[in-house]
Amino acid sequence: MKKLISLTVSATLVLSSLSLTVGTSGYKLTGIDVVSAASESETPAKESTPSKTTTPSKSTTPSKTTTKTPSKTTTKTPSKTTTPAKTTTKTTTPAKTTTKPATPAKTTTPVVKQVESPYADGVYVTYGNAYSKGTEGAKVTIKDGKVAAIELLRTSPKLIDRDARNNYSGLWNAYETMKANLLGKTKEQAANVDIVSGATRSSNGWKLSVDRAFQRALKEKPKGVTYFAGEHMGVDPEGKYMVFVTFDATKRTAVKVYPLDASGNAIEEANLTEEQAASAKAIAAELLAKGTGAVAPKGQEAEYKAAVNAYWDAEQNAKINNGAKYVDGFYSAYGAARDKGVERADVYIRNGKLVDVKLYRLGSNLIDRGESAYAEVVKANAPMTAKLLANGSYIANYSDDVDAIAGATESSHSWNLAVERAFEKALKVPGKAKYFEGTFAGVDNLSKLLVLADMKADKVSNVNVMLFGADGKLIAADKLTDEQKTVVVQLNEGLTQKGANMTPIVGQEDLSIAARAAFADLLNNASKAQGAYKDGTYTTFGDAYDKGTNRADVTLRNGVIVGLKLYRVGVNMVDRGASAYAEVVRAIPILTRDLLFAGTREQAAKVDVVTGATSSSTALKTAVENAYKKAEINESYKTAYINGIFAGINKDKSVYVMVTVQNNIPFKMEVFYLDANGKIKTEQQLTADEKTVKTEIETPTTEGSLHKYGYRPAAFGETDGVKAVSAQVVDAVKNALENAGR
């Protein structure tokens, strides 16, 4: 009979003992259980309390209670209780006399009737009125009639939350202020929150989104009201059309249709071809008349289907009683694991529909293989993405014969399964199970071993440990040494019996720790809880100076560092390798080892600097921290840029620029011109045009204010020479801003 691991103790608790060595997961797994059936009879350790949600700086945290509890009634109790004196009776058989001590009179505490909130607790995603550049939205958690948590959205025309730095600069400081001011508010209080100067439209859009969230949360909806009155936007999952629909309380009153370009932006009416304009006008008239019942002329079925899907999306955004089963947002999940790797899908869901998806093929080390995956799998990625988007979801009755991409049947099925699991993560009312069912994989962050196991009914079976060789490939079972075979048997037994709590094998402590970490990774990959970070590789930098900067390529999985390369780059942004300062060359492998060993964001921050390379060590640690900032799914508050000094270079490596970001705003820039050898030119070597551009860029702005080239910089100049040089400098500025971007 197969041994099963019964999951009965919080994984967060189990992993806490490993945090100094293997790192804890970035997933919020409080309450997920990880102890073997054999240890069920043991007294479980005290379950840890979930950590509080990070509150953004300068934010006012709402009090936890929404109804005032009456203060305790103080009853005056006599300081001394008078006990009656004993009475001696001379009778032979004294009668039993029970003497009761004086008892203070009972005080009745008044019962205050709790006023029931008219709003149902839950998470609501709503949008303000739409316009051609997108719209504002908010993901609002309502509890006890107040805003308990909120994420502010500023969408692209495709209705996906846009990176803050790609929105207009007036928003950059508005997110934090508006979020802080809306937290803890009732519907009425939120309506009275002040707008942020410079972000009037967005502030009002966010306030309207919150108001609509409360309307959607009403337990009893107003009779005769179906829609939020106003103009609402929808986009089809394939990104062909953006449709604006104006509703009053009961019906649609106007429809506008815009084709989208390859970047997902609306093509303005003035730029439409005659054919596009005629088609958009005809589709709009049909949608206005029939809504989702619009009928396509022969030969235009695909176009009308996309437009109808966009109309449907707009209507769902407008409905007060939106019945979607899913919470809008980003979700990531894995498909069917095997020893050759697994597929992953990162998806965006809106109104229960798939609106964006990216598919990955991971190797046996669970790191994205990219273009190095099997050729047929690489070719299958784009058509499978298109198939899923056209479906607007996962394929419910998936068939290998019909739905698989030729030559990549296994990966196609696994991608579809990953999307299906992502949808399950998004459920507003999740099921009781904490884990998906199927085969899952886990790898320790040092890639020493792979663990495969089956999950069913929140129990693990068929644990199978495989070792990686020095070449990074799995060692075939028949190629293992006798000692390795013995260790694998012991690890399988230990994980089966104790899971991540397995007792280290004497003499094999390193592999034991790796096995525990891999098992924890497996549980995270099987979990139905969405993590705090996006998996992937992030290239980030520490503070720059006039001799270069420090770079980190950080690969994260489940919030754990599973791949890391550190570099000391020169002003040409090229790795200096062995030509860097000797202390830095010595420090890089030490830091790489220690940061990988630390594993998590919190533990990486505690890694000691290397003596003799203090500033570079600090900068490299900062680069790792910046990778986590870029990977955050829901930022504690949105900022356009990370604070620090960031370097950038133009395409031909002739200009090196340093941008200083303070209070999350670029406010200072320095320009350096490089010679053919990648060295900084002296003042005497500069041309008049180079000096002119340098002076223009470096002219200081008001302390703390946005630099004039810190927002959508463009080439400038009155002469061809200045224009040419400024174009090169602006190219470097854009690169620096991208490196600084959150």
Side-chain angles (χ1 to χ4, degrees):
M1 184 176 178
K2 294 176 182 176
K3 295 183 179 179
L4 299 179
I5 298 175
S6 175
L7 309 171
T8 54
V9 175
S10 166
T12 304
L13 174 63
V14 171
L15 297 180
S16 63
S17 62
L18 303 177
S19 62
L20 289 174
T21 54
V22 298
T24 54
S25 164
Y27 275 45
K28 297 175 182 177
L29 292 178
T30 303
I32 294 178
D33 304 329
V34 198
V35 169
S36 71
S39 63
E40 284 182 351
S41 60
E42 298 172 7
T43 304
K46 188 175 180 181
E47 192 168 313
S48 58
T49 305
S51 58
K52 292 183 179 178
T53 304
T54 305
T55 305
S57 57
K58 301 180 185 177
S59 298
T60 305
T61 307
S63 58
K64 291 183 180 178
T65 54
T66 56
T67 305
K68 290 185 179 179
T69 307
S71 56
K72 291 183 180 178
T73 304
T74 306
T75 305
K76 290 185 179 179
T77 307
S79 56
K80 290 184 181 179
T81 304
T82 307
T83 307
K86 289 184 180 178
T87 306
T88 307
T89 310
K90 291 183 179 180
T91 38
T92 310
T93 310
K96 284 185 179 180
T97 305
T98 305
T99 307
K100 292 182 179 179
T103 306
K106 274 188 177 180
T107 302
T108 304
T109 304
V111 177
V112 178
K113 190 175 181 180
Q114 298 279 341
V115 179
E116 187 178 355
S117 170
Y119 304 104
D121 291 353
V123 180
Y124 302 89
V125 179
T126 46
Y127 298 93
N129 288 331
Y131 46 101
S132 62
K133 298 288 189 290
T135 184
E136 281 69 35
K139 182 182 286 189
V140 185
T141 301
I142 294 174
K143 185 172 177 58
D144 299 328
K146 292 187 177 182
V147 177
I150 185 169
E151 180 186 358
L152 299 176
L153 311 174
R154 175 66 181 81
T155 71
S156 67
K158 207 178 172 188
L159 278 188
I160 295 174
D161 191 27
R162 178 180 268 172
D163 289 338
R165 69 180 181 277
N166 290 319
N167 285 319
Y168 65 93
S169 59
L171 275 183
W172 296 350
N173 286 325
Y175 281 105
E176 181 182 5
T177 303
M178 287 299 293
K179 177 176 179 177
N181 290 343
L182 289 166
L183 269 172
K185 298 296 192 293
T186 63
K187 180 178 184 290
E188 294 72 23
Q189 290 168 339
N192 292 322
V193 164
D194 291 336
I195 62 173
V196 176
S197 178
T200 301
R201 173 184 275 183
S202 290
S203 297
N204 284 325
W206 286 327
K207 288 172 63 176
L208 181 56
S209 299
V210 171
D211 184 80
R212 287 174 171 173
F214 274 104
Q215 290 183 61
R216 192 168 276 176
L218 277 171
K219 294 174 184 175
E220 291 187 21
K221 305 292 191 297
K223 292 181 180 179
V225 178
T226 304
Y227 301 109
F228 300 122
E231 192 166 36
H232 300 268
M233 187 170 79
V235 179
D236 69 288
E238 295 174 277
K240 288 185 176 181
Y241 286 105
M242 176 169 68
V243 171
F244 287 83
V245 188
T246 303
F247 291 94
D248 61 18
T250 61
K251 63 185 181 301
R252 61 183 171 273
T253 60
V255 176
K256 291 183 288 187
V257 174
Y258 294 93
L260 298 178
D261 63 20
S263 301
N265 295 312
I267 303 173
E268 298 291 342
E269 290 182 55
N271 297 324
L272 294 175
T273 65
E274 287 186 16
E275 184 180 356
Q276 286 176 321
S279 177
K281 185 177 179 180
I283 292 172
E286 183 70 8
L287 291 173
L288 179 60
K290 299 177 182 176
T292 54
V295 178
K298 190 173 181 180
Q300 295 188 44
E301 289 83 2
E303 297 301 307
Y304 271 69
K305 178 185 175 183
V308 166
N309 285 338
Y311 170 88
W312 179 90
D313 192 34
E315 187 174 39
Q316 299 311 303
N317 292 334
K319 280 186 175 180
I320 292 178
N321 192 16
N322 182 310
K325 297 191 302 181
Y326 306 97
V327 178
D328 292 1
F330 171 89
Y331 300 91
S332 182
Y334 292 85
R338 56 262 189 215
D339 60 3
K340 293 181 177 60
V342 67
E343 284 68 27
R344 189 182 91 230
D346 291 353
V347 310
Y348 280 92
I349 296 171
R350 185 176 67 256
N351 294 322
K353 292 288 186 181
L354 181 70
V355 294
D356 196 39
V357 59
K358 290 183 180 176
L359 304 176
Y360 302 88
R361 175 68 171 81
L362 314 183
S364 55
N365 60 358
L366 301 190
I367 293 175
D368 178 30
R369 290 192 61 184
E371 295 297 315
S372 71
Y374 307 109
E376 294 302 318
V377 173
V378 173
K379 285 196 301 185
N381 194 303
M384 189 63 189
T385 298
K387 187 183 286 283
L388 290 165
L389 285 172
N391 192 60
S393 180
Y394 57 91
I395 300 165
N397 300 307
Y398 184 89
S399 165
D400 285 343
D401 295 332
V402 177
D403 303 306
I405 305 301
T409 301
E410 189 174 37
S411 288
S412 299
H413 181 274
S414 187
W415 277 325
N416 186 66
L417 179 60
V419 174
E420 181 178 2
R421 287 170 173 169
F423 268 84
E424 192 168 346
K425 282 187 175 184
L427 282 170
K428 286 181 179 177
V429 182
K432 292 182 180 179
K434 297 174 182 177
Y435 297 96
F436 297 110
E437 295 194 346
T439 302
F440 294 89
V443 176
D444 64 291
N445 59 326
L446 299 180
S447 295
K448 291 186 175 182
L449 53 80
L450 165 72
V451 176
L452 286 171
D454 295 334
M455 183 76 71
K456 187 172 183 179
D458 282 359
K459 295 179 184 291
V460 176
S461 63
N462 298 327
V463 178
N464 185 15
V465 173
M466 285 165 275
L467 304 181
F468 286 101
D471 59 358
K473 297 180 180 179
L474 290 174
I475 304 172
D478 60 352
K479 300 295 183 183
L480 294 172
T481 65
D482 289 341
E483 182 183 9
Q484 287 173 328
K485 289 177 182 176
T486 300
V487 171
V488 166
V489 170
Q490 291 175 309
L491 291 175
N492 284 336
E493 181 69 18
L495 292 175
T496 299
Q497 295 297 325
K498 293 285 187 177
N501 275 343
M502 68 165 280
T503 304
I505 300 168
V506 177
Q508 295 290 346
E509 287 79 7
D510 284 352
L511 275 181
S512 300
I513 289 172
R516 291 160 65 176
F519 188 85
D521 187 45
L522 180 149
L523 291 175
N524 280 320
N525 295 334
S527 173
K528 293 184 178 182
Q530 177 56 50
Y533 305 100
K534 293 181 182 179
D535 290 355
T537 299
Y538 300 87
T539 295
T540 47
F541 299 86
D543 280 349
Y545 64 119
D546 62 3
K547 290 183 174 57
T549 186
N550 295 275
R551 167 183 160 183
D553 293 350
V554 186
T555 302
L556 300 177
R557 185 174 66 252
N558 299 324
V560 175
I561 303 168
V562 296
L564 180 64
K565 291 182 180 178
L566 303 178
Y567 307 89
R568 174 70 177 85
V569 300
V571 289
N572 59 0
M573 301 298 281
V574 174
D575 177 28
R576 293 194 59 188
S579 70
Y581 306 112
E583 293 83 356
V584 176
V585 173
R586 181 179 64 85
I588 282 177
I590 297 171
L591 276 173
T592 302
R593 178 201 66 197
D594 292 351
L595 288 166
L596 271 171
F597 197 67
T600 67
R601 184 177 190 173
E602 295 73 20
Q603 295 302 323
K606 298 176 183 178
V607 166
D608 291 334
V609 299
V610 177
T611 304
T614 301
S615 60
S616 288
S617 297
T618 302
L620 288 165
K621 286 178 59 180
T622 298
V624 171
E625 166 64 15
N626 289 344
Y628 276 99
K629 289 179 179 177
K630 285 180 178 284
E632 287 175 345
I633 292 174
N634 294 320
E635 299 170 21
S636 53
Y637 59 89
K638 286 184 171 67
T639 54
Y641 294 100
I642 301 168
N643 290 327
I645 304 172
F646 296 88
I649 196 163
N650 66 326
K651 288 179 182 177
D652 68 7
K653 299 185 185 302
S654 63
V655 181
Y656 174 77
V657 170
M658 294 194 304
V659 174
T660 301
V661 180
Q662 201 173 75
N663 298 321
N664 307 113
I665 293 175
F667 82 98
K668 179 184 176 183
M669 296 186 185
E670 295 177 80
V671 177
F672 303 88
Y673 298 99
L674 308 181
D675 61 22
N677 297 316
K679 303 292 184 183
I680 293 176
K681 292 181 181 179
T682 64
E683 183 73 16
Q684 292 73 28
Q685 292 175 301
L686 301 184
T687 67
D689 290 337
E690 288 174 336
K691 289 178 181 179
T692 298
V693 174
K694 180 178 173 70
T695 300
E696 167 66 13
I697 295 287
E698 292 185 347
T699 299
T701 54
T702 306
E703 182 70 23
S705 64
L706 176 65
H707 193 282
K708 57 185 173 182
Y709 293 101
Y711 175 64
R712 297 184 180 176
F716 55 86
E718 296 181 359
T719 67
D720 290 343
V722 171
K723 287 178 182 177
V725 173
S726 68
Q728 292 178 318
V729 174
V730 165
D731 187 22
V733 168
K734 288 179 178 178
N735 182 246
L737 291 173
E738 184 63 28
N739 291 335
R742 189 124 191 181

